[in-house]
Each structure stands twice: as C-alpha cells, then as structure tokens.
Amino acid sequence: MQATLLRKICFSLAAGGILGLAGMVEAASYHVYVGAYTGPRSKGIHYFKFNAATGQLSEGALAAEVTNPTWLVVHPTRQFLYALSEVGGAQGGGITAYAVEAASGKLTRLNTQFSGGSGPCHLAVDRSGQCLLVANYGGGSVAALPIQKDGSLGAAASFIQHQGSSVNPQRQKGPHAHSVDVDPGNRFVLVCDLGLDKVLTYRLEPARASLTPAEPPHVATAPGAGPRHLAFHPNGRWVYVINELNNTVAQYEYNPENGALTALSALPTLPADFTGQNTTAEIAVHPNGKFVYGSNRGHDSIVVYAVDAATGRLTLVQHHPSGGKTPRHFALDPTGRWMLSGNQTSGNLVVLAVNPDTGRLSDTGQNVEVPAVCVQFIPAP
C-alpha cells in the first residue's frame, strides 16, 4: 500500500459484537472496511482483517470502487454496509448500499440514492434497521432514507434544510450539519450543526423514515464552539459533544422522553501551555463507560478523560501523541483494548494499546500507510 495525505479520517464501530459494558465481544477477528477519497492511490473502499487478540491488521485489498466514500456505516444485522460519496455542488452526493458476505467480507453493490444535499459527511442507521440518516455538511441539511428488506435504499422520505449562522465569519456563515446520531431508545436523532452552534433534536419514526423537529428543537452551544460529533455514554443519561472550533468537550444530561439536552460542564481538549493552532475532530466513549477520548488536530494528540460514575463529569487523564500529524479520526476496537488513530497530514494509521482499567494509551509500534478516511468493523465468523 502506498502512503497518501488523508483529507479526512473517521472511524466508527458497529455496535454488534459488544455484549455489555465489560467490553466482551463475540468475535476474535473482524472484517474492516476503509473508505478513502478517490484518486491516484485509492479507488474506493478497502478491506482488511483485524485480529482483536493481537491488534494486528492484515494487508489490504480493494473491496469496492466508489467515489469519495468518506463515511461508512453498518446495518444492525451486519448484512449490509452503506457508503456516502462526499461530492459538492448542486447535484450533491450519493449513498451506496452493499450486501456483505459474512464469511469472506466481500461487498456486492445493491443501489445508490441521492443524499438530499451537497457534501454529505456522516451516516447513521436506526437501531431497528429500517432507515438510514445522513448529514449534509456543505448543504447544511439532514435526510432520512428508507431501507428496503433486501438492504437497498429508497429515495429520501424526509429532508430538513437548516437555516442560520453563527459568530465565526470563516466557518459559520451558514449551516453545516456535521453528524447524525440515533439515541439509545431509537426515538430521537441528534444532529451537531457546526455552522449554527446548535445540537438539534428530531423525533424519529423509523418505519416511515420520518424526521420532525422535537420540542425543544435544539440546545445552543457556546458561541463559536462549532459542535462536530457526539457520543452517548452506555447508560444513556449523558452525551458528550466535541466542539471543533473552541477545542472543548461538553457534557450534557439527556432526557429520553423528549430528546432534550441540558448543558452540565465543559473541559478543554488541549494542555494549558499549548499556543499553536488546533481544531478537534472525533469523540468516543470506552465500552466500559469509564473513559472518554477526543482528538486534537494541531497538537496532534488524543486526549483521555476519566468519567465520574455518579455524575458523568470528566477529569483529565492523559494527552497521548496520535502517531502522526492531524488526527482526523480514531476508533476504539470492539474489545476496548485497541485504538486506531488516523492521521490526515502524515497519511498513516497507528494502532495504540488501551488500558481498560486506567484508560491510558500506549504505543504498539504498528504503523500502516493507507489512504483511509473512514473505517467500519463487522465481526468475522
């Protein structure tokens, strides 16, 4: 595999395989699907095998040719995978559905549908597997598409265009929906809009692929915060939002009855003595619920926080080097013993060891050159 500059890297783990907060999993190995911007070094989605016992990645192979598959998501049945095509302009982007062969991991294309807007950047599948949700960053919109029984996608049944702006003249002149996440009860969808400084809540009807504004419809972040991604704590009570522009992680209390968020606290992602330029990217909660992780692009680190079991409040544990430059994204593997750290500018993927008792990260020496922009795991038989 050849090295390439990563323009964007994201990692997201299939919920299947996790049996509980202890982090026990069903599989010792996983099919790994890696999306990439297409060009001289990549034609689409790449395939790897991941050994959860050793943290080793196999040599890669091309799994499917598709334009700019910068986010991938797995269906709850693990039988289907969906890849967006991050394309701007009036025509917007697309979402392609694939069937997954369980034994080999082979992908078979099913169909492609329009994402509803320009520059799609994030996908989610509802927990019943009936609809797919997409955030369109360039267009500042969200959409919901029905999933057919064979895994293929129908045309968007719901489309909501965000309106407004915020205080940063370079990044917040208009709406920029950056992520879509389904709540644990499968009743609401939370959308981080970086351009509006809001986390918006929509009521979800999966069988109809229907999104409607909840009441209250949103929570405002600090002006200029730029909410990017969020992660639910396993207990469903707390939500952690990483703010791209002001380099903070904010904690919220979640109300499952109406989908409302109540701000509780916020912590910086950077050391107090850091004076350079930085933006944050990904956030994740450890499967055991004891730790939260976030990435710093500029400081080139992964920040580790401990979670207070009673209140959910965070305290700093560590800043660990990401293993390269500009960590766009990272992921905890399903066992909670490993982290994959993707570094955009240096173009490498690093495997870090995770101590599940302390949350601390350490180097393994494993460093893979791969034009990755998104990774998904599916348990292998």
Side-chain angles (χ1 to χ4, degrees):
M1 294 178 290
Q2 301 179 13
T4 188
L5 293 182
L6 303 177
R7 292 181 54 200
K8 183 197 246 184
I9 188 156
C10 60
F11 292 89
S12 152
L13 299 177
I18 297 177
L19 295 181
L21 299 186
M24 299 298 290
V25 298
E26 298 170 358
S29 63
Y30 289 81
H31 302 307
V32 176
Y33 301 94
V34 177
Y37 282 96
T38 47
R41 296 185 179 92
S42 176
K43 295 183 179 180
I45 302 171
H46 299 259
Y47 172 83
F48 297 83
K49 202 73 168 286
F50 179 72
N51 187 324
T54 65
Q56 294 293 313
L57 285 169
S58 71
E59 292 296 316
L62 184 66
E65 291 193 23
V66 61
T67 302
N68 296 344
T70 60
W71 195 275
L72 312 174
V73 70
V74 175
H75 192 274
T77 64
R78 307 168 183 167
Q79 296 177 336
F80 311 109
L81 180 140
Y82 302 94
L84 62 76
S85 290
E86 187 178 324
V87 179
Q91 297 301 315
I95 306 169
T96 301
Y98 297 91
V100 179
E101 186 176 275
S104 67
K106 179 183 176 181
L107 298 181
T108 300
R109 182 185 177 278
L110 299 175
N111 75 330
T112 299
Q113 290 285 359
F114 176 45
S115 73
S118 174
C121 66
H122 196 266
L123 299 173
V125 177
D126 91 280
R127 298 176 189 278
S128 69
Q130 297 180 88
C131 73
L132 180 138
L133 304 140
V134 55
N136 296 298
Y137 179 87
S141 62
V142 294
L145 290 71
I147 297 175
Q148 313 299 334
K149 291 183 179 180
D150 66 353
S152 63
L153 295 171
S158 294
F159 174 82
I160 299 176
Q161 177 63 56
H162 293 177
Q163 303 289 340
S165 61
S166 196
V167 299
N168 186 312
Q170 286 76 42
R171 299 292 306 279
Q172 297 179 315
K173 291 182 179 179
H176 293 299
H178 216 312
S179 61
V180 286
D181 289 274
V182 181
D183 82 334
N186 210 46
R187 298 177 59 198
F188 298 97
V189 172
L190 303 184
V191 179
C192 289
D193 194 306
L194 181 147
L196 302 184
D197 279 330
K198 293 177 180 178
V199 181
L200 300 99
T201 303
Y202 295 102
R203 187 173 293 276
L204 173 66
E205 295 182 55
R208 299 173 52 213
S210 171
L211 292 173
T212 54
E215 185 56 47
H218 67 263
V219 64
T221 67
R228 178 184 173 96
H229 284 182
L230 63 80
F232 276 89
H233 190 274
N235 67 13
R237 293 170 47 202
W238 307 316
V239 171
Y240 300 96
V241 174
I242 195 160
N243 294 305
E244 178 173 338
L245 303 183
N246 75 353
N247 301 307
T248 62
V249 169
Q251 180 202 359
Y252 295 84
E253 184 83 21
Y254 182 68
N255 184 338
E257 297 303 316
N258 61 4
L261 295 173
T262 302
L264 297 179
S265 63
L267 282 180
T269 64
L270 293 166
D273 59 355
F274 180 74
T275 58
Q277 297 295 314
N278 189 82
T279 56
T280 63
E282 177 61 327
I283 188 166
V285 181
H286 194 278
N288 65 20
K290 296 180 180 180
F291 310 103
V292 170
Y293 300 84
S295 63
N296 286 305
R297 298 174 294 177
H299 187 250
D300 296 333
S301 67
I302 307 298
V303 60
V304 184
Y305 306 99
V307 178
D308 184 278
T311 66
R313 288 183 177 270
L314 305 179
T315 55
L316 178 66
V317 172
Q318 178 191 30
H319 288 92
H320 187 82
S322 66
K325 292 186 178 298
T326 320
R328 188 71 176 237
H329 230 277
F330 66 86
L332 295 161
D333 89 301
T335 71
R337 295 176 55 208
W338 312 100
M339 176 182 285
L340 304 180
S341 170
N343 298 282
Q344 177 179 349
T345 302
S346 54
N348 63 322
L349 176 63
V350 174
V351 180
L352 302 175
V354 181
N355 185 321
D357 296 319
T358 67
R360 297 182 68 88
L361 304 174
S362 59
D363 297 326
T364 67
Q366 187 179 180
N367 184 352
V368 180
E369 295 180 347
V370 57
V373 296
C374 186
V375 172
Q376 269 282 6
F377 293 76
I378 295 179

